Amino acid sequence: MCAAYGKTEVLHNIDMELPPGRITGLVGPSGHGKTTLVSVIVGALRAKSGTVTVLGESAPPRRVKSSIGFMPQAEALYADLTGDENLRFFGALYGMTAAQMAERIPVVLKQVSLPQQGGKVVAEYSGGMQRRLSLAVALLHEPRLLVLDEPTVGLDPAHRVALWATFRQLADGGATFLVTTHVMDEAANCDTVLLIHDGRVLAAGSPDELVSVSGTANLEGAFLQFEASQNHTEEDGNA
């Protein structure tokens, strides 16, 4: 898969698969193609070339859209509505019934550690609370595929740990996750990691495999090692 903004190619020959019940992490610095890649998968952008299939449908995945939970980097919440009202609004867009929403809203608010905040106007939420409410929106309709773009940015360590425990629980229940992050200790929680740099996949594998192959002590060292190897290859090609 390749994608571009205007004439500038942003993604280069991306080849990936998201197995059910697994957490796949897109790991790399900001501005190197992670958000563009998830935007192609959820149908917000079109690939310039290649094939993108989501839950059996070619992207943009209109027929299976209700089976996808997407959390973008920027919150898409209504500040003048309460948390509950935001969830009911998005639940209606997902085609949920009032009974389904009444059952699910308390569940997802608890999952994101906002069990007592649903009646509060979102304008009064902290940035971290808004981030967690955005995640609750993505989880609300129990999607088969969850695409989460930097889901824990701005959260304190306790909430980050709690959310990753929730991701693991849902994945163990069969949900498929694609999570972007530039935080290496979070990437270690993924089943498969794709190291992304300059719109290219530098390496892919389990965290332990990447550390082992790179001969380094941790994922951060592995990323730096693969990045250096890529830069060396490009320099040789331009010589």
Side-chain angles (χ1 to χ4, degrees), residues 106-180:
V107 172
V108 295
L109 286 176
K110 184 176 180 180
Q111 286 177 319
V112 300
S113 302
L114 293 172
Q116 308 300 324
Q117 305 298 327
K120 193 177 199 178
V121 174
V122 168
E124 299 176 2
Y125 280 28
S126 67
M129 290 169 65
Q130 291 187 29
R131 198 77 189 130
R132 285 180 277 147
L133 183 62
S134 292
L135 178 58
V137 170
L139 298 172
L140 183 62
H141 56 304
E142 299 183 275
R144 293 163 55 195
L145 171 63
L146 281 145
V147 181
L148 311 177
D149 196 1
E150 304 279 4
T152 62
V153 166
L155 300 188
D156 60 66
H159 284 127
R160 286 173 52 202
V161 170
L163 289 181
W164 274 96
T166 296
F167 299 164
R168 176 53 59 192
Q169 182 181 33
L170 294 172
D172 289 344
T176 301
F177 279 80
L178 178 63
V179 182
T180 77

Side-chain angles (χ1 to χ4, degrees), residues 170-193:
L170 294 172
D172 289 344
T176 301
F177 279 80
L178 178 63
V179 182
T180 77
T181 183
H182 58 267
V183 181
M184 294 300 174
D185 64 341
E186 288 192 355
N189 295 317
C190 298
D191 299 301
T192 302
V193 172

Side-chain angles (χ1 to χ4, degrees), residues 22-43:
R22 307 275 285 178
I23 301 175
T24 300
L26 297 177
V27 180
S30 298
H32 282 256
K34 302 190 303 296
T35 294
T36 300
L37 180 53
V38 300
S39 296
V40 170
I41 290 170
V42 300

Side-chain angles (χ1 to χ4, degrees), residues 183-212:
V183 181
M184 294 300 174
D185 64 341
E186 288 192 355
N189 295 317
C190 298
D191 299 301
T192 302
V193 172
L194 279 72
L195 300 180
I196 304 286
H197 187 267
D198 197 24
R200 294 176 172 84
V201 176
L202 298 179
S206 72
D208 287 345
E209 288 171 343
L210 293 174
V211 170
S212 176

